[in-house]
Amino acid sequence: MEILVTNDDGIHAEGLRALAKALRPLGNVTVIAPDREQSATSHALTLHRPLRIKKVDEGILSVDGTPTDCVLLGVHGFLKQKPDLVVSGINHGPNMGNDTSYSGTVAAAMEGTFLGIPSVAVSLASWEPADFEPAGDVAHELVKTFLRHGIRPGMCISVNIPPIARGEMKGIRVTRLGKRVFRDVIVEKTDPRGKLYYWIGGEDPTWEPDELSDFNAVNEGYVSVTPLLLELTDYKAIVEMETWGLKLAGTA
């Protein structure tokens, strides 16, 4: 089995090393990851400049681009055959609820799904210094299960793991995306030359109560597994909007 591993925390991230190590018993692992942190890049592609690739070690390449760039380069440029699986992570920090839309980690898995490859994103739900080995063990177990049952076309899977010892984890819950309570603020400051600049900041995220959500599962010590569909069309709305009589002026 050919496995492509990437992330958005960069080629030197501990979570990336832990994930690659955990997946090697399952097949041939190739790591292609950004050369620096690319958190919150979402599904960005680098189109305005050429990309440069550096060989870090055997089977390990760094790219001066985004996680999505890494998957595209791996599938269409550097791998001798199309991978059987794309796994992104282990992200240092949660990717739950609304934040999933911003995540470079999840976007890399989505790109794999777009390319017809079963794909998984794995995140450790803590920004504090962490031991990634328990999360790697969980990733290994889950990926084996996903492969056994199959990941449907058009779907990728987002996994969020609580930052606790393996023996303290209560189990696994299949969850839906939670809803974040946003308290983000724009911080305005002045640089030494008197020019204004801005930071997008805010408090740590809080979430609406929902016992079926990813946030609730992780908060209670469970591994959250959320299947994500990439089909964004609202078919119910299509039926409704067809009754509106939408038309351009001057057309039949």
Side-chain angles (χ1 to χ4, degrees):
M1 172 170 289
E2 293 293 329
I3 303 171
L4 174 59
V5 169
T6 189
N7 73 348
D8 74 357
D9 287 332
I11 193 71
H12 301 295
E14 291 183 36
L16 182 71
R17 291 195 294 271
L19 180 61
K21 178 182 177 182
L23 296 181
R24 283 194 179 101
L26 302 179
N28 182 52
V29 172
T30 301
V31 175
I32 305 179
D35 64 354
R36 68 201 73 182
E37 185 174 341
Q38 294 283 342
S39 297
T41 54
S42 188
H43 217 113
L45 278 173
T46 302
L47 302 177
H48 61 281
R49 62 173 177 83
L51 293 166
R52 301 190 184 277
I53 291 86
K54 178 181 178 182
K55 182 177 179 180
V56 177
D57 205 339
E58 193 62 37
I60 302 176
L61 301 172
S62 70
V63 178
D64 65 339
T66 69
T68 306
D69 293 332
C70 294
V71 175
L72 277 172
L73 285 168
V75 174
H76 292 302
F78 284 87
L79 297 179
K80 294 180 181 179
Q81 65 182 68
K82 186 176 181 179
D84 302 292
L85 178 71
V86 172
V87 187
S88 180
I90 299 170
N91 190 65
H92 195 169
N95 281 307
M96 300 185 290
N98 310 67
D99 290 347
T100 301
S101 299
Y102 303 108
S103 168
T105 303
V106 177
M110 288 181 174
E111 186 64 25
T113 301
F114 287 154
L115 297 173
I117 304 166
S119 300
V120 181
V122 184
S123 303
L124 181 63
S126 173
W127 288 284
E128 301 298 323
D131 176 10
F132 286 89
E133 187 172 346
D137 292 342
V138 171
H140 175 93
E141 293 179 49
L142 285 174
V143 166
K144 279 202 307 184
T145 302
F146 298 154
L147 291 172
R148 185 167 67 248
H149 290 277
I151 297 175
R152 289 192 287 111
M155 181 184 82
C156 71
I157 298 176
S158 178
V159 176
N160 280 275
I161 301 170
I164 54 180
R166 177 68 181 81
E168 296 175 5
M169 296 180 194
K170 296 180 180 179
I172 296 170
R173 285 182 180 171
V174 180
T175 60
R176 61 189 178 201
L177 295 178
K179 293 182 179 180
R180 179 175 171 179
V181 178
F182 284 92
R183 294 190 178 89
D184 290 338
V185 294
I186 302 298
V187 179
E188 181 182 277
K189 291 186 177 292
T190 305
D191 70 17
R193 296 186 178 182
K195 294 183 178 181
L196 293 176
Y197 66 92
Y198 300 88
W199 280 101
I200 297 176
E203 303 173 8
D204 288 342
T206 56
W207 305 83
E208 293 182 9
D210 180 358
E211 63 180 13
L212 300 179
S213 73
D214 45 10
F215 172 76
N216 189 73
V218 169
N219 194 48
E220 293 186 0
Y222 290 86
V223 175
S224 166
V225 174
T226 307
L228 303 175
L229 282 177
L230 305 192
E231 168 59 87
L232 301 179
T233 307
D234 187 334
Y235 290 97
K236 183 179 178 181
I238 288 177
V239 175
E240 178 184 351
M241 293 175 72
E242 283 177 341
T243 69
W244 293 2
L246 298 172
K247 62 180 181 180
L248 294 174
T251 61

